[in-house]
Amino acid sequence: MQKVNKLLKMKKTVLLTLFVAISMAANAQFEGSKQVFESPNLKTEITKHKIVAILPFNTRISYKKQPKNFSAEANKEQEKALSTSIQSSMYTFLLRKASNYTVEFQDVEKTNILLKKAGVFDKLGETTKDEIAKILGVDAVIGGQFETEQSRSEAGAIATTVLFGGIGSKTGTGALTLVINEGEKGNLLWRFYKSMDDNVLSSSDVLVERMMRKVSRNFPYTK
């Protein structure tokens, strides 16, 4: 009887160890590597900032294996939708925790309208950050880039998981970069980079939530 009990205890221990190992591995799949850069002038510069704008993200969607009936035009439209979707999610997150920050964040609808009126909404890559800050009337701008390579073959995978909030499983890999540039000269003050290895496209809200959870300790505007 004692031998049976010992065997059962050993079996439970092995199973528990295996479960913990699998859980840690699954969690690590999303976490990936992280890099943070801070300018030597960061602390002195951010004390001057009162209003900060969040720009549409630069996005790129690619596939390891191109889906059947792939449409380059449709893929481009998905990238554009994802660009403003992440921007909106970022604004919502920061607005929700507004009391935690030393600055105000410009409404993204106002940001996009001003960019469109100035004719630079689709030309942000050709416009300097100080020019953008002047157009928006802000002290600094937050920009970013999100790239994902999808392993799924379904053509509608991106639209379903990102735009409509469905939870994906093993959708592919991705990398997200977040930067802050001051508005006077456009100098880079802060850069955050995070790579992700799995479930990168559950929804833009979840993507931002997970990223900001990692950023929070390093985010310059946190009180």
Side-chain angles (χ1 to χ4, degrees), residues 160-171:
T160 301
T161 55
V162 176
L163 305 181
F164 302 106
I167 301 300
S169 175
K170 295 184 179 180
T171 56

Side-chain angles (χ1 to χ4, degrees), residues 205-223:
D205 287 340
V206 172
L207 180 69
V208 168
E209 188 85 28
R210 286 176 174 172
M211 181 192 70
M212 292 305 292
R213 215 178 290 153
K214 298 298 176 184
V215 169
S216 58
R217 292 181 183 179
N218 306 102
F219 194 56
Y221 297 122
T222 302
K223 289 181 180 177

Side-chain angles (χ1 to χ4, degrees), residues 45 54 72:
E45 285 293 332
I54 305 162

